[in-house]
Amino acid sequence: MTHLETLENRLREQFGESFPLTIKHGEVTLEVPVAQWVKTCTQLRDHPSLKFEVGIDLAGVDYLNYGLPGNGPKTPFPGRFAAVVHLLSITHNWRLRVRVFATDDDLPMLPSLVDVWPSLGWFEREAFDMFGILFEGHPDLRRILTDYGFIGHPFRKDFPLSGYVEMRYDQESQRVIYQPITIEPREITPRVIREEGYGAGR
């Protein structure tokens, strides 16, 4: 029995068929509903047969337009925004990916996992900053990568590539000021230019 099969069996023993479980690209993924998020993650950490002591990272995901023509396979997701947590068991030397979907696309909100794995506090702040996912119960949920007055969430699929505002240093007022974007959005198609004889074995 392989390492992944052993992990899969132990997850089945604990959760049965309650949650979807997949193995793809050598990675086990458990999908958990919001209502069971904290309870399940606590069980993953504390149960002796699983023992995921370390929360390695957490990332937000935006599935806007996913499954439309040209955007990958059609998959019926329960919501637009999700959070994915990667866990490590030092005791058993295995890893697990756990995903949860926010139920409200307009105001995505998930319970915080800082009480389960304190190391995820910074990552939850990043997911809030970049995707606008709110983590209920987080002790210090504020932006971490963007500026104080930043508007919007840059990793959302509907956020414009050029943003909403630009900044420059104003000599007159002796400070950095924000102003509306002055460049026009344009589509850039890369052009490949190769020298003569490219790939001819010279």
Side-chain angles (χ1 to χ4, degrees):
M1 185 178 291
T2 68
H3 210 51
L4 287 181
E5 288 172 340
T6 304
L7 174 56
E8 182 185 9
N9 289 341
R10 294 201 185 179
L11 289 167
R12 296 284 187 205
E13 286 171 10
Q14 292 307 310
F15 305 113
E17 301 296 326
S18 303
F19 312 132
L21 181 67
T22 57
I23 299 179
K24 196 172 183 181
H25 305 300
E27 184 177 61
V28 181
T29 301
L30 187 70
E31 193 167 307
V32 180
V34 177
Q36 301 293 319
W37 181 235
V38 175
K39 179 183 176 183
T40 303
C41 287
T42 304
Q43 191 172 349
L44 288 169
R45 180 196 66 187
D46 294 342
H47 199 280
S49 69
L50 299 171
K51 210 73 177 162
F52 287 97
E53 306 101 328
V54 183
I56 297 176
D57 70 4
L58 178 145
V61 187
D62 181 1
Y63 287 100
L64 180 69
N65 296 333
Y66 187 82
L68 295 179
N71 287 306
K74 180 64 178 171
T75 307
F77 288 129
R80 172 181 169 181
F81 295 102
V84 174
V85 138
H86 292 95
L87 306 177
L88 169 66
S89 170
I90 298 172
T91 302
H92 301 294
N93 189 27
W94 52 38
R95 295 170 186 267
L96 177 66
R97 179 177 182 260
V98 190
R99 181 171 63 179
V100 62
F101 280 90
T103 54
D104 187 349
D105 291 349
D106 296 324
L107 187 67
M109 186 176 292
L110 298 170
S112 174
L113 291 179
V114 291
D115 291 334
V116 184
W117 295 287
S119 59
L120 298 181
W122 291 79
F123 297 108
E124 288 183 350
R125 283 181 61 185
E126 182 182 32
F128 162 68
D129 194 1
M130 298 288 105
F131 292 93
I133 300 172
L134 298 167
F135 290 89
E136 193 174 17
H138 192 288
D140 186 22
L141 194 63
R142 56 194 165 103
R143 291 189 181 272
I144 192 170
L145 295 174
T146 57
D147 201 2
Y148 295 108
F150 193 86
I151 298 170
H153 304 283
F155 281 5
R156 286 190 175 191
K157 298 289 178 67
D158 51 5
F159 189 85
L161 291 178
S162 56
Y164 296 110
V165 295
E166 64 186 26
M167 64 179 192
R168 65 177 175 84
Y169 183 76
D170 184 57
Q171 288 285 358
E172 204 172 291
S173 59
Q174 299 287 300
R175 66 183 183 89
V176 173
I177 63 169
Y178 289 88
Q179 63 187 36
I181 292 289
T182 56
I183 59 172
E184 290 186 19
R186 61 192 176 107
E187 186 176 331
I188 300 175
T189 305
R191 184 174 58 179
V192 177
I193 301 175
R194 294 182 175 144
E195 67 273 10
E196 191 177 339
Y198 176 84
R202 291 188 294 154

